[in-house]
Coordinates of all heavy atoms in Angstrom, one line a residue:
N107 N 184.4 -90.3 14.3 CA 184.7 -89.1 15.1 C 184.7 -87.9 14.2 O 185.3 -86.8 14.6 CB 186.0 -89.2 15.8 CG 185.9 -90.3 16.9 OD1 184.9 -90.3 17.6 ND2 186.9 -91.2 16.9
H108 N 184.1 -87.9 13.0 CA 183.9 -86.7 12.2 C 183.1 -85.7 13.0 O 182.2 -86.1 13.7 CB 183.1 -87.1 10.9 CG 183.0 -86.0 9.9 ND1 182.0 -85.0 10.1 CD2 183.7 -85.7 8.8 CE1 182.1 -84.2 9.1 NE2 183.1 -84.5 8.3
P109 N 183.5 -84.4 12.9 CA 182.9 -83.4 13.8 C 181.3 -83.4 13.7 O 180.7 -83.0 14.7 CB 183.5 -82.1 13.3 CG 184.6 -82.4 12.3 CD 184.6 -83.9 12.1
K110 N 180.8 -83.8 12.6 CA 179.3 -83.7 12.4 C 178.6 -84.9 13.0 O 177.4 -85.0 13.0 CB 179.0 -83.4 11.0 CG 179.4 -82.1 10.5 CD 178.7 -81.7 9.3 CE 179.1 -80.2 8.9 NZ 179.6 -80.0 7.6
M111 N 179.4 -86.0 13.2 CA 178.7 -87.3 13.4 C 177.8 -87.4 14.7 O 176.7 -87.9 14.6 CB 179.8 -88.4 13.5 CG 179.4 -89.7 12.8 SD 178.3 -89.4 11.3 CE 179.6 -88.8 10.1
A112 N 178.3 -86.8 15.8 CA 177.5 -87.0 17.0 C 176.1 -86.3 16.8 O 175.1 -86.8 17.2 CB 178.2 -86.3 18.2
E113 N 176.1 -85.1 16.2 CA 174.9 -84.3 15.9 C 174.0 -85.1 15.0 O 172.8 -85.3 15.2 CB 175.2 -83.0 15.4 CG 174.1 -82.0 15.4 CD 173.2 -81.9 16.6 OE1 173.8 -82.0 17.7 OE2 172.0 -81.8 16.5
L114 N 174.6 -85.6 13.9 CA 173.9 -86.3 12.9 C 173.1 -87.6 13.5 O 172.0 -87.8 13.3 CB 174.8 -86.8 11.7 CG 174.1 -87.5 10.6 CD1 173.2 -86.5 9.8 CD2 175.2 -88.1 9.6
A115 N 173.9 -88.3 14.3 CA 173.4 -89.5 14.9 C 172.2 -89.1 15.9 O 171.2 -89.8 15.9 CB 174.5 -90.2 15.7
K116 N 172.4 -88.0 16.6 CA 171.3 -87.6 17.5 C 170.1 -87.2 16.8 O 169.0 -87.7 17.1 CB 171.9 -86.4 18.3 CG 171.3 -86.1 19.6 CD 172.0 -85.1 20.4 CE 171.1 -84.5 21.5 NZ 171.7 -83.3 22.1
Q117 N 170.3 -86.4 15.8 CA 169.1 -86.0 14.9 C 168.3 -87.2 14.4 O 167.1 -87.3 14.3 CB 169.6 -85.2 13.7 CG 169.7 -83.7 13.8 CD 170.4 -83.1 12.6 OE1 170.4 -83.7 11.5 NE2 171.0 -81.9 12.8
K118 N 169.1 -88.2 13.9 CA 168.5 -89.4 13.3 C 168.0 -90.4 14.4 O 167.3 -91.4 14.0 CB 169.4 -90.0 12.3 CG 169.7 -89.2 11.1 CD 170.8 -89.8 10.2 CE 170.4 -89.9 8.8 NZ 171.4 -90.6 8.0
G119 N 168.4 -90.2 15.5 CA 168.1 -91.2 16.6 C 168.8 -92.6 16.3 O 168.1 -93.6 16.5
E120 N 170.1 -92.5 15.9 CA 170.7 -93.8 15.7 C 172.1 -93.8 16.2 O 172.6 -92.7 16.7 CB 170.8 -94.1 14.1 CG 171.4 -93.0 13.3 CD 171.2 -93.2 11.8 OE1 170.1 -93.7 11.4 OE2 172.1 -93.0 11.0
T121 N 172.8 -94.9 16.1 CA 174.2 -94.9 16.6 C 175.1 -94.1 15.7 O 174.9 -93.9 14.6 CB 174.8 -96.4 16.6 OG1 175.0 -96.9 15.3 CG2 173.7 -97.3 17.4
R122 N 176.2 -93.6 16.4 CA 177.2 -92.9 15.6 C 177.8 -93.8 14.5 O 178.2 -93.5 13.5 CB 178.3 -92.4 16.5 CG 178.2 -90.9 16.9 CD 179.4 -90.4 17.5 NE 179.9 -91.2 18.6 CZ 181.3 -91.4 18.8 NH1 182.1 -90.8 18.0 NH2 181.7 -92.1 19.9
S123 N 178.0 -95.1 15.0 CA 178.6 -96.1 14.1 C 177.8 -96.2 12.8 O 178.5 -96.3 11.7 CB 178.7 -97.4 14.7 OG 179.3 -97.4 16.0
M124 N 176.5 -96.2 12.8 CA 175.8 -96.3 11.6 C 175.7 -95.0 10.8 O 175.7 -95.0 9.6 CB 174.4 -97.0 11.8 CG 173.4 -96.2 12.6 SD 171.9 -97.2 13.0 CE 171.0 -97.3 11.5
A125 N 175.5 -93.9 11.6 CA 175.5 -92.6 11.0 C 176.8 -92.4 10.1 O 176.7 -91.7 9.1 CB 175.3 -91.6 12.0
A126 N 177.9 -92.9 10.6 CA 179.2 -92.6 10.0 C 179.2 -93.2 8.6 O 180.0 -92.7 7.7 CB 180.3 -93.2 10.8
L127 N 178.3 -94.2 8.3 CA 178.4 -94.8 6.9 C 177.8 -93.8 5.9 O 177.9 -94.1 4.7 CB 177.5 -96.1 6.9 CG 178.4 -97.3 7.1 CD1 178.8 -97.4 8.6 CD2 177.7 -98.6 6.7
S128 N 177.2 -92.7 6.3 CA 176.7 -91.7 5.4 C 177.9 -91.1 4.6 O 177.8 -90.5 3.5 CB 175.9 -90.6 6.0 OG 176.7 -89.9 7.0
L129 N 179.1 -91.3 5.2 CA 180.3 -90.7 4.5 C 181.1 -91.8 3.8 O 182.2 -91.6 3.3 CB 181.2 -90.0 5.5 CG 180.6 -88.8 6.2 CD1 181.6 -88.2 7.2 CD2 180.2 -87.7 5.2
W130 N 180.5 -93.1 3.7 CA 181.3 -94.1 3.1 C 181.0 -94.2 1.6 O 181.8 -94.8 0.8 CB 180.9 -95.5 3.7 CG 181.5 -95.8 5.0 CD1 181.9 -94.9 6.0 CD2 181.7 -97.1 5.6 NE1 182.4 -95.5 7.1 CE2 182.3 -97.0 6.9 CE3 181.5 -98.4 5.1 CZ2 182.7 -98.0 7.6 CZ3 181.8 -99.4 5.9 CH2 182.4 -99.2 7.2
Q131 N 179.9 -93.7 1.1 CA 179.4 -93.9 -0.2 C 180.5 -93.7 -1.3 O 180.7 -94.6 -2.2 CB 178.2 -92.9 -0.5 CG 177.5 -93.0 -1.8 CD 176.4 -94.1 -1.8 OE1 176.0 -94.6 -0.8 NE2 176.1 -94.6 -3.1
D132 N 181.2 -92.7 -1.3 CA 182.2 -92.4 -2.3 C 183.4 -93.3 -2.2 O 184.3 -93.2 -3.2 CB 182.7 -90.9 -2.1 CG 181.6 -89.9 -2.4 OD1 180.6 -90.3 -3.0 OD2 181.8 -88.7 -2.1
H133 N 183.6 -94.0 -1.2 CA 184.8 -94.9 -1.0 C 184.5 -96.3 -1.2 O 185.4 -97.1 -1.1 CB 185.4 -94.6 0.4 CG 185.6 -93.2 0.7 ND1 186.7 -92.5 0.3 CD2 184.9 -92.3 1.4 CE1 186.7 -91.2 0.7 NE2 185.6 -91.1 1.4
L134 N 183.2 -96.6 -1.3 CA 182.8 -98.1 -1.2 C 183.3 -98.9 -2.4 O 183.7 -100.1 -2.1 CB 181.3 -98.2 -1.1 CG 180.7 -98.1 0.3 CD1 179.2 -98.1 0.2 CD2 181.2 -99.3 1.1
A135 N 183.3 -98.4 -3.6 CA 183.5 -99.3 -4.7 C 185.0 -99.9 -4.6 O 185.9 -99.2 -4.5 CB 183.4 -98.5 -6.0
G136 N 185.0 -101.3 -4.7 CA 186.2 -102.0 -4.7 C 187.0 -101.9 -3.4 O 188.2 -102.3 -3.3
S137 N 186.4 -101.4 -2.3 CA 187.1 -101.2 -1.0 C 187.1 -102.5 -0.2 O 186.6 -103.5 -0.6 CB 186.4 -100.2 -0.2 OG 185.1 -100.7 0.1
V138 N 188.0 -102.5 0.9 CA 187.9 -103.6 1.9 C 187.3 -103.0 3.1 O 187.8 -102.0 3.6 CB 189.3 -104.1 2.1 CG1 189.3 -105.1 3.2 CG2 190.0 -104.7 0.9
V139 N 186.1 -103.5 3.5 CA 185.4 -103.0 4.7 C 185.7 -103.9 5.8 O 185.6 -105.1 5.8 CB 183.9 -103.0 4.3 CG1 183.0 -102.9 5.6 CG2 183.5 -102.0 3.3
L140 N 186.0 -103.2 6.9 CA 186.2 -103.9 8.2 C 185.3 -103.5 9.3 O 185.3 -102.3 9.7 CB 187.7 -103.6 8.7 CG 188.9 -103.8 7.8 CD1 190.2 -103.5 8.5 CD2 188.9 -105.2 7.2
I141 N 184.4 -104.3 9.7 CA 183.4 -104.0 10.7 C 183.6 -105.0 11.9 O 183.3 -106.2 11.8 CB 182.0 -104.0 10.2 CG1 181.7 -103.0 9.1 CG2 181.0 -103.8 11.4 CD1 180.4 -102.9 8.5
G142 N 184.1 -104.5 13.0 CA 184.6 -105.4 14.1 C 183.9 -105.1 15.4 O 184.1 -105.8 16.4
N143 N 183.0 -104.0 15.4 CA 182.4 -103.7 16.7 C 180.9 -103.5 16.5 O 180.2 -104.2 17.3 CB 183.0 -102.4 17.2 CG 182.4 -102.0 18.6 OD1 181.2 -101.8 18.6 ND2 183.3 -101.8 19.6
A144 N 180.5 -102.7 15.6 CA 179.1 -102.2 15.6 C 178.2 -103.0 14.7 O 178.2 -102.8 13.4 CB 179.1 -100.8 15.1
P145 N 177.3 -103.8 15.3 CA 176.3 -104.5 14.4 C 175.5 -103.5 13.6 O 175.1 -103.8 12.4 CB 175.4 -105.2 15.5 CG 176.2 -105.3 16.7 CD 177.1 -104.1 16.7
T146 N 175.1 -102.3 14.1 CA 174.3 -101.4 13.4 C 175.0 -100.9 12.1 O 174.3 -100.7 11.1 CB 173.9 -100.1 14.2 OG1 175.1 -99.5 14.7 CG2 173.0 -100.5 15.4
A147 N 176.4 -100.8 12.1 CA 177.1 -100.4 10.9 C 177.0 -101.6 9.9 O 176.9 -101.2 8.7 CB 178.6 -100.2 11.3
L148 N 177.1 -102.8 10.3 CA 177.0 -103.9 9.3 C 175.6 -104.0 8.7 O 175.4 -104.1 7.5 CB 177.4 -105.2 10.0 CG 177.4 -106.4 9.1 CD1 178.3 -106.2 7.8 CD2 178.0 -107.6 9.9
F149 N 174.6 -103.8 9.6 CA 173.2 -103.8 9.0 C 173.0 -102.7 8.0 O 172.5 -102.8 6.9 CB 172.2 -103.6 10.1 CG 171.8 -104.9 10.9 CD1 172.0 -104.9 12.3 CD2 171.4 -106.1 10.3 CE1 171.6 -106.0 13.0 CE2 171.1 -107.2 11.0 CZ 171.2 -107.2 12.4
R150 N 173.5 -101.4 8.4 CA 173.4 -100.3 7.5 C 174.1 -100.5 6.2 O 173.5 -100.2 5.1 CB 173.8 -99.0 8.2 CG 173.9 -97.8 7.3 CD 172.7 -97.3 6.7 NE 171.6 -97.1 7.6 CZ 171.3 -95.9 8.2 NH1 172.1 -94.9 8.1 NH2 170.3 -95.8 9.0
L151 N 175.2 -101.1 6.2 CA 176.0 -101.3 5.0 C 175.2 -102.2 4.1 O 175.1 -102.0 2.8 CB 177.4 -102.0 5.3 CG 178.2 -102.4 4.1 CD1 178.7 -101.2 3.3 CD2 179.4 -103.2 4.5
L152 N 174.7 -103.3 4.6 CA 173.9 -104.3 3.8 C 172.7 -103.5 3.1 O 172.4 -103.7 2.0 CB 173.5 -105.5 4.5 CG 174.7 -106.3 5.1 CD1 174.1 -107.5 6.0 CD2 175.6 -106.8 4.0
E153 N 172.1 -102.7 4.0 CA 170.9 -101.9 3.4 C 171.3 -101.0 2.3 O 170.7 -100.9 1.2 CB 170.3 -101.1 4.5 CG 169.5 -101.9 5.6 CD 169.1 -101.0 6.8 OE1 169.5 -99.9 6.9 OE2 168.4 -101.6 7.6
M154 N 172.5 -100.4 2.5 CA 173.0 -99.5 1.4 C 173.3 -100.2 0.1 O 172.9 -99.8 -1.0 CB 174.2 -98.7 1.9 CG 174.0 -97.6 2.9 SD 175.5 -97.1 3.7 CE 176.4 -96.3 2.3
I155 N 173.9 -101.4 0.3 CA 174.2 -102.2 -0.9 C 172.9 -102.7 -1.6 O 172.9 -102.6 -2.8 CB 175.3 -103.4 -0.6 CG1 176.6 -102.8 -0.1 CG2 175.4 -104.2 -1.8 CD1 177.5 -103.8 0.5
A156 N 172.0 -103.1 -0.8 CA 170.7 -103.6 -1.4 C 170.0 -102.5 -2.1 O 169.3 -102.7 -3.1 CB 169.9 -104.1 -0.3
Q157 N 170.3 -101.2 -1.7 CA 169.6 -100.0 -2.3 C 170.5 -99.5 -3.5 O 170.2 -98.5 -4.0 CB 169.4 -99.0 -1.4 CG 168.2 -99.2 -0.4 CD 168.3 -98.4 0.9 OE1 169.1 -97.4 1.0 NE2 167.6 -98.9 1.9
G158 N 171.6 -100.2 -3.9 CA 172.3 -99.8 -5.1 C 173.7 -99.2 -4.8 O 174.3 -98.7 -5.8
A159 N 174.1 -99.1 -3.6 CA 175.4 -98.5 -3.3 C 176.5 -99.4 -4.0 O 176.3 -100.6 -4.1 CB 175.7 -98.3 -1.8
P160 N 177.6 -98.7 -4.3 CA 178.7 -99.6 -4.9 C 179.2 -100.7 -4.0 O 179.2 -100.5 -2.7 CB 179.8 -98.5 -5.1 CG 179.2 -97.2 -5.1 CD 178.0 -97.3 -4.2
K161 N 179.6 -101.8 -4.5 CA 180.0 -102.9 -3.7 C 181.5 -102.9 -3.3 O 182.3 -102.5 -4.2 CB 179.8 -104.2 -4.4 CG 178.3 -104.6 -4.5 CD 178.2 -105.9 -5.2 CE 176.7 -106.1 -5.7 NZ 176.5 -107.2 -6.6
P162 N 181.7 -103.2 -2.1 CA 183.1 -103.4 -1.7 C 183.7 -104.7 -2.4 O 182.9 -105.5 -2.7 CB 183.1 -103.5 -0.2 CG 181.7 -103.2 0.3 CD 180.8 -103.4 -0.9
A163 N 185.0 -104.8 -2.4 CA 185.7 -106.0 -3.0 C 185.5 -107.0 -1.9 O 185.3 -108.2 -2.3 CB 187.1 -105.8 -3.2
L164 N 185.5 -106.7 -0.7 CA 185.4 -107.7 0.5 C 184.8 -107.0 1.7 O 185.3 -105.9 2.0 CB 186.8 -108.2 0.8 CG 186.9 -109.2 2.0 CD1 186.2 -110.5 1.8 CD2 188.4 -109.5 2.4
I165 N 184.0 -107.7 2.4 CA 183.5 -107.2 3.7 C 184.0 -108.2 4.8 O 183.7 -109.4 4.7 CB 182.0 -107.2 3.8 CG1 181.4 -106.2 2.7 CG2 181.5 -106.7 5.2 CD1 179.9 -106.4 2.6
I166 N 184.8 -107.8 5.7 CA 185.2 -108.6 6.9 C 184.3 -108.0 8.0 O 184.4 -107.0 8.5 CB 186.7 -108.4 7.2 CG1 187.6 -108.9 6.0 CG2 187.0 -109.3 8.4 CD1 189.1 -108.8 6.3
G167 N 183.3 -108.9 8.3 CA 182.2 -108.4 9.2 C 182.3 -109.3 10.4 O 181.8 -110.5 10.4
M168 N 182.7 -108.8 11.6 CA 182.8 -109.6 12.8 C 182.5 -108.8 14.0 O 183.3 -108.7 15.0 CB 184.3 -110.1 12.9 CG 184.7 -110.9 11.8 SD 186.4 -111.6 11.9 CE 186.5 -112.5 10.4
P169 N 181.3 -108.1 14.0 CA 181.0 -107.4 15.3 C 180.7 -108.4 16.4 O 180.4 -109.5 16.2 CB 179.6 -106.7 14.9 CG 179.3 -107.1 13.6 CD 180.3 -107.9 13.0
V170 N 181.0 -107.9 17.6 CA 180.9 -108.7 18.8 C 179.8 -108.3 19.7 O 179.3 -107.2 19.6 CB 182.3 -108.6 19.6 CG1 182.6 -107.1 20.0 CG2 182.3 -109.5 20.8
G171 N 179.3 -109.2 20.5 CA 178.3 -108.8 21.6 C 177.0 -109.5 21.6 O 176.9 -110.6 20.9
F172 N 176.0 -108.9 22.3 CA 174.8 -109.6 22.6 C 173.6 -109.0 21.8 O 172.6 -109.7 21.7 CB 174.5 -109.6 24.1 CG 175.5 -110.4 24.9 CD1 176.8 -109.9 25.3 CD2 175.3 -111.7 25.2 CE1 177.7 -110.6 25.9 CE2 176.2 -112.5 25.9 CZ 177.4 -111.9 26.2
V173 N 173.7 -107.7 21.4 CA 172.6 -107.1 20.8 C 172.9 -106.9 19.3 O 173.7 -106.0 18.9 CB 172.2 -105.8 21.4 CG1 171.0 -105.1 20.7 CG2 171.9 -106.0 22.9
G174 N 172.4 -107.8 18.4 CA 172.5 -107.6 17.0 C 173.8 -108.2 16.4 O 173.9 -108.2 15.1
A175 N 174.8 -108.7 17.2 CA 176.0 -109.1 16.7 C 175.8 -110.3 15.8 O 176.2 -110.4 14.6 CB 177.0 -109.3 17.7

Side-chain angles (χ1 to χ4, degrees):
N107 294 314
H108 184 279
K110 295 198 172 125
M111 215 40 72
E113 189 50 38
L114 182 68
K116 204 170 160 192
Q117 271 171 20
K118 293 172 130 184
E120 57 188 38
T121 69
R122 261 194 310 142
S123 305
M124 70 191 283
L127 269 73
S128 59
L129 298 179
W130 282 26
Q131 184 84 18
D132 293 346
H133 307 279
L134 273 175
S137 64
V138 174
V139 166
L140 309 182
I141 297 182
N143 181 301
T146 58
L148 184 50
F149 280 128
R150 172 58 57 84
L151 174 67
L152 298 178
E153 288 168 355
M154 285 168 66
I155 296 172
Q157 285 159 17
K161 285 182 195 165
L164 174 67
I165 303 170
I166 301 181
M168 303 183 180
V170 59
F172 294 85
V173 180

